[in-house]
Amino acid sequence: MRPLFNSAELRHVLVLAAPIALMQTGMVLYGTVATVFAGRIGPEAIATVGLAGSTYFLLFIVVMGILLGIDPLSSQAFGAGRHQECSEVLAHAVVLGLAAVLPVFLALSGAASWFALVGIAPEIARGAAAYLNIMRWGLFSSVLFVSCRQYLQTLNVTRPQLAAVVGGNLLNAALDYSLMFGNWGAPRLGVIGAAYAFLAANAFMFLVVAAAAWGRVRHSRYRWTGLRMDVFRQLLRVGVPSGLQMLAEVGAFGLATMLCGRLGAMAAAAHQIVLNLASLSYMVPLGVSYAAAVRVGQGLGRGQPSAAARSGYAALFTGVAFMSLTSLAYVLMPRSILGLYTTDPAVTELGIRLLAVAAFFQVFDGAQVVLTGALRGTGETRIPMLANAVGYWAIGLPVGVFLAFPCGRGAWGLWIGLCIGLCSVALSLLFAWRRRARRLLELAQRGSD
């Protein structure tokens, strides 16, 4: 049996993960550009963009998680050479995603009522609700984009997605600059201009990846023969726990964003800036996580369980190594990094304290997301769901709320709680992956590899 750490497999993971990580980073840059431009307007504008973006993503995340059921089903079929089956998975995922996104659209339509119920500061809630009334129309193109993106990744195709995100970011930045500030003859719309920019960029990205996916489907000679309930059941079996796992994780940070909205514009702005920075660094191990799911799934599809185990460990090494570097940057250059977002002294000082917490949990964050992907490649999504539900909602958030409000620690207390929850999730998933990898290696020793 070959050693667990394999340089050849590490190269395979890096080749697949690098463009996916760049693509994921590009996705977050939409919010980063809007946040940076909003910072030139003021803390209230930053809080508005952050609250709207967090709410949108919080509700969309379950649908996105369901679509992650594509990963193990299509990658294992691809590893076994069943290309038509990959196309069939995509077709059913599109139908499922469009059906699932309708209640999200309705929920975003009533955002103003939800914000009032939570107690968000009125000046922030009004702007965020108006922002979401525009953003919600991007849900449909988002579902189609994610479906095509996941399908292409399972075929080891990444260039069209990367081109779509690069082009989308350029379009988004140009439209943010023109519509938010009234440049190049456009109307001055303030933060609402960023919502229109988001819609246009989303539509562009979908068109690019849809063209690439359609070409692969045609090449596979797949023919639609009607809906198959067994395919829907497989997608839901894997995807629903993935969606709930992502909801538990993103929901915890989304609730923290809303709670910071109760602390005022300064706390909300500092929280949003550091959350955006943490999200940016998270995108690289998230890309590695997708690569882990694909490589583990393809290894199992080829009947090579030891290769699947090596893929998971190579991905874990890559994610942890990168997040160690970002942790170091956050510790050594906090003021310079925060200066890219704001010049407000109060926001900067609180941001430095929050960024120190983010620096501490970087390695744990990278480990947990990569391990989630590796487990998903084997078809296991319930364990990550339970780990996130317990880690964030039974441990992290209760501690954070206690520190923030009864103890008077504010946003910093919330981040301490989130950090504790995140670390517990990472340790739980590491234990689960080690057990799963051991089983794969035992299977290989019995002569299946």
Side-chain angles (χ1 to χ4, degrees), residues 65-383:
I66 291 173
L67 296 175
L68 294 185
I70 296 171
D71 288 359
L73 301 182
S74 183
S75 63
Q76 290 181 27
F78 181 78
R82 303 190 301 268
H83 295 180
Q84 289 188 4
E85 188 175 323
C86 300
S87 299
E88 186 165 56
V89 169
L90 170 63
H92 283 73
V94 166
V95 174
L96 188 61
L98 289 174
V101 86
L102 291 175
V104 177
F105 181 88
L106 294 176
L108 289 178
S109 302
S113 300
W114 293 110
F115 292 154
L117 184 65
V118 176
I120 303 296
E123 64 276 12
I124 300 174
R126 282 192 298 271
Y131 198 105
L132 283 170
N133 277 335
I134 300 166
M135 281 186 76
R136 60 182 175 158
W137 294 101
L139 286 168
F140 304 102
S141 57
S142 293
V143 164
L144 297 172
F145 170 78
V146 172
S147 300
C148 295
R149 179 189 71 182
Q150 298 305 123
Y151 164 73
L152 290 170
Q153 286 172 186
T154 63
L155 311 184
N156 295 329
V157 177
T158 56
R159 289 183 180 178
Q161 304 96 296
L162 184 57
V165 171
V166 170
N169 267 283
L170 293 174
L171 178 61
N172 178 67
L175 291 176
D176 275 345
Y177 178 73
S178 62
L179 294 175
M180 292 179 74
F181 303 105
N183 293 313
W184 302 332
R188 185 186 180 96
L189 301 178
V191 292
I192 295 299
Y196 286 110
F198 169 82
L199 287 186
N202 246 25
F204 171 84
M205 290 197 306
F206 157 63
L207 292 174
V208 173
V209 297
W214 176 244
R216 292 284 170 163
V217 170
R218 290 187 63 185
H219 184 71
S220 74
R221 300 183 183 276
Y222 169 69
R223 293 293 180 270
W224 174 262
T225 58
L227 296 176
R228 288 180 50 192
M229 295 308 298
D230 60 318
V231 179
F232 280 132
R233 281 194 294 269
Q234 290 180 70
L235 282 168
L236 289 171
R237 178 182 59 81
V238 177
V240 169
S242 288
L244 294 175
Q245 171 259 314
M246 296 175 75
L247 178 63
E249 180 179 4
V250 176
F253 284 91
L255 180 58
T257 297
M258 293 184 180
L259 291 173
C260 283
R262 298 182 62 179
L263 297 171
M266 188 271 290
H271 165 84
Q272 175 56 30
I273 289 170
V274 177
L275 181 59
N276 187 261
L277 286 166
S279 298
L280 272 174
S281 60
Y282 177 83
M283 287 303 110
V284 172
L286 179 60
V288 177
S289 174
Y290 287 138
V294 170
R295 292 294 301 173
V296 170
Q298 289 178 351
L300 293 175
R302 293 192 303 267
Q304 297 175 334
S306 67
R310 288 195 301 274
S311 296
Y313 278 112
L316 179 61
F317 173 82
T318 304
V320 167
F322 175 82
M323 293 299 260
S324 299
L325 296 177
T326 63
S327 177
L328 192 61
Y330 290 165
V331 169
L332 296 179
M333 302 182 293
R335 198 172 295 274
S336 299
I337 294 171
L338 292 168
L340 299 173
Y341 290 81
T342 183
T343 56
D344 186 293
V347 173
T348 300
E349 291 307 313
L350 177 57
I352 289 174
R353 297 180 67 201
L354 300 186
L355 197 58
V357 180
F360 179 84
F361 67 58
Q362 288 295 284
V363 169
F364 292 94
D365 206 10
Q368 67 87 15
V369 69
V370 172
L371 291 169
T372 296
L375 288 167
R376 188 170 67 248
T378 69
E380 176 56 73
T381 54
R382 289 173 297 175
I383 289 175

Side-chain angles (χ1 to χ4, degrees), residues 18-43:
I20 299 176
L22 288 173
M23 178 186 66
Q24 290 300 135
T25 303
M27 298 295 292
V28 175
L29 284 176
Y30 284 104
T32 302
V33 171
T35 302
V36 169
F37 281 138
R40 303 302 179 258
I41 300 174

